[in-house]
């Protein structure tokens, strides 16, 4: 990948390039846990969703949930990645009160999904490709609550054993914005696939952010890993802070230590974790309780054939079939509900006009009202009907905006609003000519002026519109004015 | 492969096994002996032999995605915390661990 000068960070001693890779933990959507029949639902009472397997009682054995495997395969396919028909589970050993087994069942050397790549759109229309290194299945740990008592921690194992996908990117991102855009795109893909709900407040998706800096063209610098970041905005902040911190250390003659850091949401800063260095000595070994995970290639193909249309495919189709700009197509494809809404409006109509109305007028109004597309007061058919009224010349585009505002308030049928409020466009040439004649007669000075300076023509159009309360057909007004003023 | 005293100390710590100082040297000798014994396997020619991943000729068993009752399901918080030295409202209560 070539160095992009405008993405470099300026330091005291010259330019620096930031290099970012993300490890994203995404909770699998499933009813039961990865290796037990306890519920994976969020929000139950303390230790309600815990089986004897999750509590690591002696003699209990893990049995893998087939649907969780399917979800991981589906996600791998959605990331355009290689599905490994043979993979294996390993034990990752460490001690913590919320990990009753004393190890996490994970996948180390042989993950279920190998290399892939996704397209990521940046603000301003640029698209980058980010490589996926791997995706593996693993168990989540329980939750420790530290604020219920000054000297004790409270442990709830409801999360223990819930299936997670760890999705590891290549170090392909070169700015905080790229890292945030990748995280956001990954969330979109997972939500499309229905394999993770992407709910960051509930911890369904969190990122470990690997950051290093280097002089342009030089080998990778030493990286730090900032753990457990649960929002797109915080990913961006953590990269920005960490890059600045590392540049300051290096420029003052110091060295970057390879270490794990924590992000403080209140200050936007990172700080080193106090854990001992040997915390990273996990002594992985194949889990003797589980046989290798072997997948039937036909089953994988069936999953592939059941995939929904993904955002990139949808984006390209919107560009091709509806003639949209790459930016509009990406905005619409980023969310399945929004994309479906747009298609309902665009079907059989001018795609660009439909995209304009949906992205500008509707999304703008929804934003201002703080509503999601699912709660839109304007149904797709009604917005489509409004566009038809414009296309048929019943109302002008300007009047349509007023009608839309009423629709957004009342949810009413646009034809009814136009009828009741008398907003129909005046296309009757005779009626417009009469207005034009009156205006020309009343403004001889302007008539003289427009012959010398044709640019003042717009003033006449404005006068006619004013006189007709905006209802005159703009094309007809133009034509008649030009003819009467002798400007043709 | 020989294991020294410091490696034994580290492995014991990682496994949270308390070994008294005077046991470290003898343990290093015993573990080195075991590893040396296993290393004899390196003499076997395994060219072209698939790695064995399990002693049983079986496929991995799978479960359906169904929430269950009983030992392999939830809904039994009182049983889950029954052996804990300290509990409150079905939470395990442990000495403070916070980063």
């Amino acid at each position: 990948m070539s160095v992009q000068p405008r993405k470099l960070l300026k330091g005291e001693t010259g330019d620096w390039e930031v290099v970012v890779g993300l490890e994203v933990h995404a909770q699998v959507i499933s009813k039961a846990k990865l290796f037990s029949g306890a519920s994976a639902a969020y929000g139950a009472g303390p230790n309600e969703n815990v089986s004897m397997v999750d509590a690591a009682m002696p003699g209990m054995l893990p049995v893998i949930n087939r649907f969780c495997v399917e979800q991981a395969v589906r996600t791998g396919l959605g990331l355009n990645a290689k599905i490994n028909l043979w993979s294996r589970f390993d034990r990752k050993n460490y001690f913590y009160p919320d990990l009753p087994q004393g190890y996490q069942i994970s996948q180390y050397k042989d993950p279920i999904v190998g290399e892939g790549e996704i397209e990521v759109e940046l603000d301003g229309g640029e698209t980058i490709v980010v490589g996926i290194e791997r995706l593996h299945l693993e168990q989540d740990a329980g939750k420790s609550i530290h604020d219920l008592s000054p000297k004790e921690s409270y442990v709830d194992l409801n999360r223990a054993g819930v299936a997670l996908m760890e999705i590891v990117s290549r170090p392909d991102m070169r700015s905080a914005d790229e890292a945030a855009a990748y995280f956001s795109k990954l969330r979109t893909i997972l939500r499309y696939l229905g394999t993770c709900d992407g709910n960051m407040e509930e911890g369904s998706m969190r990122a470990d952010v690997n950051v290093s800096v280097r002089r342009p063209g030089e080998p990778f610098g030493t990286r730090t890993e900032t753990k457990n970041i649960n929002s797109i905005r915080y990913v961006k902040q953590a990269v920005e802070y960490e890059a600045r911190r590392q540049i300051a250390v290096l420029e003052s003659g110091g060295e970057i230590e390879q270490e794990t850091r924590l992000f403080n949401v209140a200050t936007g800063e990172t700080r080193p974790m106090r854990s001992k260095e040997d915390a990273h000595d996990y002594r992985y070994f194949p889990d003797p309780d589980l046989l290798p995970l072997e997948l039937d290639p036909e089953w994988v193909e069936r999953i592939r054939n059941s995939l929904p249309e993904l955002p990139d495919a949808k984006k390209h189709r919107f560009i091709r079939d509806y003639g949209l700009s790459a930016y509009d197509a990406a905005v619409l494809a980023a969310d399945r509900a929004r994309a479906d809404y747009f298609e309902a409006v665009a079907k059989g109509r001018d795609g660009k006009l439909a995209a304009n109305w949906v992205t500008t007028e509707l999304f703008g109004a929804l934003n201002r009202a703080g509503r999601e597309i699912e709660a839109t007061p304007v149904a797709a058919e009604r917005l489509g009907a409004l566009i038809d009224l414009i296309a048929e010349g019943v109302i002008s585009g300007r009047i349509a905006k007023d009608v839309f505002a009423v629709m957004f308030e009342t949810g009413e049928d646009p034809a009814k609003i136009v009828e009741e409020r008398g907003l129909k466009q005046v296309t009757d040439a005779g009626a417009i000519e009469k207005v034009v004649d009156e205006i020309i007669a009343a403004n001889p000075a302007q008539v003289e002026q427009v012959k010398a300076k044709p640019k003042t023509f717009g003033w006449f159009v404005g006068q006619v519109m004013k006189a007709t309360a905006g209802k005159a057909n703009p094309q007809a007004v133009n034509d008649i004015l030009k003819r009467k003023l002798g400007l043709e | 492969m020989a294991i020294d005293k410091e490696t034994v100390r580290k492995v014991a710590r990682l496994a949270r096994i308390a070994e008294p100082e005077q046991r470290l040297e003898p343990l290093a000798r015993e573990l080195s002996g075991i590893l040396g014994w296993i290393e004899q396997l390196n003499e076997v020619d395994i060219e072209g032999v698939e790695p064995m991943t399990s002693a049983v000729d079986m496929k991995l068993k799978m479960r359906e995605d169904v929430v269950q009752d009983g030992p392999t399901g939830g809904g039994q918080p009182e049983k889950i915390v029954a052996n804990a030295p300290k509990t409150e409202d079905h939470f395990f209560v442990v000495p403070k661990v916070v980063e």
Side-chain angles (χ1 to χ4, degrees):
Chain A
M1 210 177 303
S2 61
V3 174
Q4 301 202 37
R6 69 200 161 75
K7 286 185 182 162
L8 297 180
L9 294 175
K10 292 240 178 301
E12 296 287 326
T13 58
D15 288 345
W16 295 87
E17 184 174 43
V18 56
V19 176
V20 190
L22 259 63
E23 293 167 26
V24 173
H25 289 89
Q27 191 191 318
V28 173
I29 293 179
S30 66
K31 295 192 189 78
K33 293 184 181 181
L34 182 54
F35 294 109
S36 85
S39 167
Y42 179 84
N47 290 309
E48 274 295 334
N49 294 343
V50 182
S51 73
M52 294 296 163
V53 183
D54 311 314
M57 290 296 172
M60 302 305 291
L61 288 172
V63 180
I64 197 165
N65 182 328
R66 185 193 308 274
F67 184 66
C68 293
V69 175
E70 183 179 331
Q71 291 284 61
V73 170
R74 182 171 289 123
T75 306
L77 294 169
L79 300 176
N80 311 302
K82 177 173 182 289
I83 305 302
N84 293 324
L85 299 178
W86 192 97
S87 70
R88 175 156 75 178
F89 289 94
D90 299 278
R91 291 186 179 179
K92 178 180 180 178
N93 298 281
Y94 66 94
F95 287 94
Y96 207 73
D98 59 22
L99 187 78
Q101 290 166 150
Y103 57 85
Q104 176 192 33
I105 304 179
S106 181
Q107 296 190 295
Y108 186 48
K109 283 200 177 130
D110 298 291
I112 184 166
V113 176
E115 292 189 349
E117 61 178 38
I118 61 172
E119 284 180 21
V120 176
E121 294 80 17
L122 306 173
D123 282 347
E126 186 193 352
T127 297
I128 57 167
V129 173
V130 175
I132 303 292
E133 189 165 307
R134 58 184 281 162
L135 174 155
H136 67 253
L137 274 170
E138 63 184 23
Q139 297 176 301
D140 202 351
K143 187 176 160 75
S144 304
I145 301 163
H146 305 294
D147 55 5
L148 292 179
S149 149
K151 290 192 170 159
E152 288 156 325
S153 294
Y154 283 52
V155 180
D156 173 12
L157 299 180
N158 282 346
R159 321 277 306 156
V162 169
L164 298 181
M165 297 177 284
E166 179 171 330
I167 302 165
V168 183
S169 84
R170 294 212 158 267
D172 284 350
M173 290 150 271
R174 295 289 176 270
S175 70
D177 285 329
E178 291 190 4
Y182 164 77
F183 192 44
S184 168
K185 183 61 181 281
L186 193 57
R187 179 171 183 270
T188 298
I189 293 173
L190 297 179
R191 283 165 55 86
Y192 258 80
L193 291 166
T195 58
C196 172
D197 65 20
N199 189 330
M200 303 206 196
E201 289 79 42
E202 292 176 6
S204 299
M205 233 185 128
R206 39 198 203 261
D208 299 344
V209 180
N210 290 297
V211 178
S212 64
V213 297
R214 63 174 171 187
R215 295 293 190 186
E218 290 193 355
F220 288 146
T222 305
R223 66 187 163 87
T224 63
E225 178 179 16
T226 304
K227 304 279 277 185
N228 256 334
I229 299 179
N230 71 342
S231 90
I232 294 166
R233 189 160 59 93
Y234 294 155
V235 165
K236 193 171 166 213
Q237 281 181 9
V239 174
E240 278 166 357
Y241 179 84
E242 202 39 35
R244 281 288 162 204
R245 186 190 69 82
Q246 292 184 12
I247 290 169
V249 168
L250 292 169
E251 292 196 326
S252 60
E255 279 187 21
I256 302 302
E257 271 184 69
Q258 179 157 0
E259 63 182 356
T260 304
R261 300 178 68 88
L262 291 175
F263 179 70
N264 182 333
V265 297
T267 62
E269 296 174 353
T270 68
R271 64 176 168 85
M273 278 177 86
R274 276 178 279 128
S275 324
K276 306 268 186 303
E277 52 171 273
D278 61 14
H280 279 300
D281 192 343
Y282 292 124
R283 294 153 297 138
Y284 282 98
F285 65 91
D287 191 321
D289 285 344
L290 291 159
L291 289 159
L293 175 57
E294 292 176 71
L295 307 179
D296 175 1
E298 283 179 23
W299 185 60
V300 173
E301 281 315 299
R302 279 205 296 280
I303 298 170
R304 188 193 300 277
N305 294 333
S306 77
L307 289 186
E309 184 184 37
L310 290 169
D312 287 342
K314 210 181 267 288
K315 181 184 83 178
H316 292 306
R317 184 168 60 80
F318 283 0
I319 295 170
R320 193 180 62 236
D321 292 0
Y322 294 106
L324 303 193
S325 69
Y327 180 79
D328 276 352
V331 166
L332 288 165
D335 181 271
R336 205 164 163 176
R338 289 178 166 212
D340 289 348
Y341 185 98
F342 162 72
E343 285 216 80
V345 175
K347 197 141 216 150
R349 301 191 176 94
D350 180 332
K352 275 188 191 165
L353 190 59
N356 236 332
W357 275 91
V358 173
T359 57
T360 312
E361 298 302 321
L362 179 71
F363 290 175
L366 287 171
N367 256 344
R368 284 190 294 277
R371 290 203 202 189
E372 293 298 323
I373 187 80
E374 286 83 358
T376 175
V378 180
E381 313 79 80
R382 297 236 149 130
L383 185 53
L386 178 66
I387 293 171
D388 290 342
L389 291 178
I390 305 168
E392 289 157 11
V394 178
I395 54 173
S396 67
R398 207 191 67 76
I399 291 287
K401 291 191 183 187
D402 299 338
V403 176
F404 178 81
V406 178
M407 289 165 74
F408 199 82
E409 287 300 315
T410 64
E412 273 178 8
D413 179 11
K416 186 167 163 249
I417 296 168
V418 168
E419 194 62 56
E420 282 180 1
R421 306 194 177 208
L423 296 172
K424 266 198 189 153
Q425 185 163 253
V426 180
T427 45
D428 170 14
I432 296 173
E433 266 183 46
K434 186 163 167 276
V435 177
V436 169
D437 287 341
E438 283 166 15
I439 288 168
I440 288 177
N443 298 284
Q446 272 82 1
V447 174
E448 274 313 303
Q449 195 190 15
V450 80
K451 283 176 180 153
K453 286 161 94 184
K455 276 185 186 162
T456 59
F457 177 71
W459 181 85
F460 285 94
V461 178
Q463 292 301 305
V464 178
M465 284 303 180
K466 204 166 144 194
T468 57
K471 289 185 286 184
N473 178 307
Q475 193 56 52
V477 171
N478 264 318
D479 294 346
I480 293 167
L481 265 173
K482 277 188 180 157
R483 178 158 48 81
K484 299 247 175 195
L485 289 169
L487 291 174
E488 275 166 313
Chain B
M1 177 181 167
I3 292 214
D4 63 13
K5 191 174 147 186
E6 283 317 305
T7 307
V8 176
R9 193 196 305 279
K10 186 182 173 203
V11 171
R13 216 196 74 75
L14 286 172
R16 301 297 189 274
I17 296 171
E19 283 297 344
E21 183 67 26
Q22 69 271 21
R23 278 289 299 148
L24 297 180
E25 204 60 68
L27 264 173
R29 268 199 310 279
E30 287 167 33
L31 288 170
S32 295
I34 292 168
L35 286 176
W37 181 62
I38 290 171
E39 271 171 9
Q40 291 179 41
L41 287 173
N42 288 341
E43 292 164 20
V44 182
D45 180 9
I46 53 161
E47 191 62 38
V49 180
E50 288 263 306
M52 188 176 85
T53 48
S54 167
V56 284
D57 185 20
M58 254 178 75
K59 291 258 183 218
L60 178 67
K61 285 262 189 292
M62 297 202 186
R63 65 164 71 240
E64 296 308 314
D65 185 32
V66 175
V67 175
Q68 295 173 317
D69 296 323
T72 59
Q76 46 184 344
E78 56 295 320
K79 282 190 185 165
I80 293 298
V81 299
N83 297 317
K86 189 169 181 197
T87 70
E88 195 180 313
D89 295 336
H90 295 156
F91 280 110
F92 293 94
V93 179
V94 302
K96 192 127 198 154
V97 274
V98 68
E99 177 67 44

